[in-house]
Amino acid sequence: NPYGDFGLGAPDMVDGEPTILDGMASQSTADGKTIQAPASSKIPFAMVTNFKADTLASLSSFSSLTDLYTQLSTYLPNKHAIYAIKLRGSFNRIKTRAFPKVNTANIVPLAQMLDKQKFFEQEKVDGTLVGFWIPSYLAGINIAGFHFHFLSNNMALGGHVLEIISSQNVQVEIAKLEDFIFRIPDNASYKRYPFTGENNSDLKKVEKGEN
């Protein structure tokens, strides 16, 4: 990938959960399979970087995804910055999910497809979490807060992380990102999409000079 060797995203037609690790793109689909993504794959959304860690740490254990987030937060001194985060180790239990592929006649927002997502759980699995911390002011163009995908070492399990527990040491690598490039699509479907987002009320007042 010309934009980086580490990241995650959403695939064309919502067909699973893509993860990019060590320069390889994988795709975890709703049938429970994780494969190397074909070169012809399309990704309408991806967040990618050339991963170069500037902070190394080790977590001895965490009892939930929330507990993991709390511990990771101590290594992020500037909550207004963007961080790429990689965790490698053995996990006692992990739960992931993937959405099934949709067809062009049935495209709806993901929030209306939650009943279609497929869940996968496994105990005693070795692998890597690939993710980011995104500050709150970037909500809307990305998911604010932590966001992780998982890829097992044997490629048997992957997807968006919903829960995770570990009682063993997990190695953490963190890269603070100094800037980002936001590339806007230029295709017909993007131009036709009925975006409805608006400026908040305070911004409207500032722009119009109203009290």
Side-chain angles (χ1 to χ4, degrees), residues 111-165:
Q112 297 178 27
M113 290 179 55
L114 295 179
D115 61 329
K116 300 183 184 303
Q117 61 187 327
K118 302 298 182 183
F119 303 102
F120 309 97
E121 296 187 50
Q122 189 169 328
E123 297 182 352
K124 306 298 181 183
V125 57
D126 297 338
T128 305
L129 272 72
V130 170
F132 293 89
W133 163 267
I134 303 297
S136 59
Y137 62 84
L138 292 177
I141 66 171
N142 211 317
I143 297 175
F146 291 105
H147 180 193
F148 283 102
H149 286 190
F150 179 75
L151 188 62
S152 65
N153 289 351
N154 61 8
M155 295 284 286
L157 180 68
H160 175 85
V161 178
L162 294 175
E163 190 53 86
I164 192 164
I165 298 171

Side-chain angles (χ1 to χ4, degrees), residues 61-149:
S61 66
F62 43 87
S63 59
S64 66
L65 191 61
T66 300
D67 184 24
L68 171 60
Y69 289 172
T70 299
Q71 294 191 48
L72 285 177
S73 293
T74 64
Y75 297 100
L76 310 183
N78 181 2
K79 297 304 187 295
H80 298 319
I82 301 173
Y83 295 92
I85 306 170
K86 181 192 302 182
L87 295 92
R88 295 187 188 271
S90 297
F91 304 95
N92 290 36
R93 175 179 171 270
I94 186 167
K95 180 179 181 179
T96 64
R97 74 101 197 276
F99 281 98
K101 185 177 182 178
V102 300
N103 58 61
T104 54
N106 188 34
I107 296 177
V108 297
L110 280 180
Q112 297 178 27
M113 290 179 55
L114 295 179
D115 61 329
K116 300 183 184 303
Q117 61 187 327
K118 302 298 182 183
F119 303 102
F120 309 97
E121 296 187 50
Q122 189 169 328
E123 297 182 352
K124 306 298 181 183
V125 57
D126 297 338
T128 305
L129 272 72
V130 170
F132 293 89
W133 163 267
I134 303 297
S136 59
Y137 62 84
L138 292 177
I141 66 171
N142 211 317
I143 297 175
F146 291 105
H147 180 193
F148 283 102
H149 286 190

Side-chain angles (χ1 to χ4, degrees), residues 3 44-48 82 138-143 179-186 190 195:
Y3 303 110
F45 167 80
M47 185 167 185
V48 183
I82 301 173
L138 292 177
I141 66 171
N142 211 317
I143 297 175
D179 54 30
F180 73 96
I181 298 172
F182 181 45
R183 295 185 65 89
I184 300 173
D186 188 30
Y190 179 83
F195 291 106

Side-chain angles (χ1 to χ4, degrees), residues 168-209:
Q168 291 126 61
N169 285 337
V170 172
Q171 301 306 308
V172 181
E173 299 177 57
I174 301 173
K176 183 181 178 182
L177 307 183
E178 299 297 333
D179 54 30
F180 73 96
I181 298 172
F182 181 45
R183 295 185 65 89
I184 300 173
D186 188 30
N187 55 54
S189 59
Y190 179 83
K191 293 175 180 178
R192 289 195 305 266
Y193 190 82
F195 291 106
T196 57
E198 297 182 1
N199 290 330
N200 65 38
S201 58
D202 286 343
L203 285 176
K204 286 182 177 180
K205 290 180 180 178
V206 172
E207 193 272 332
K208 295 182 178 180

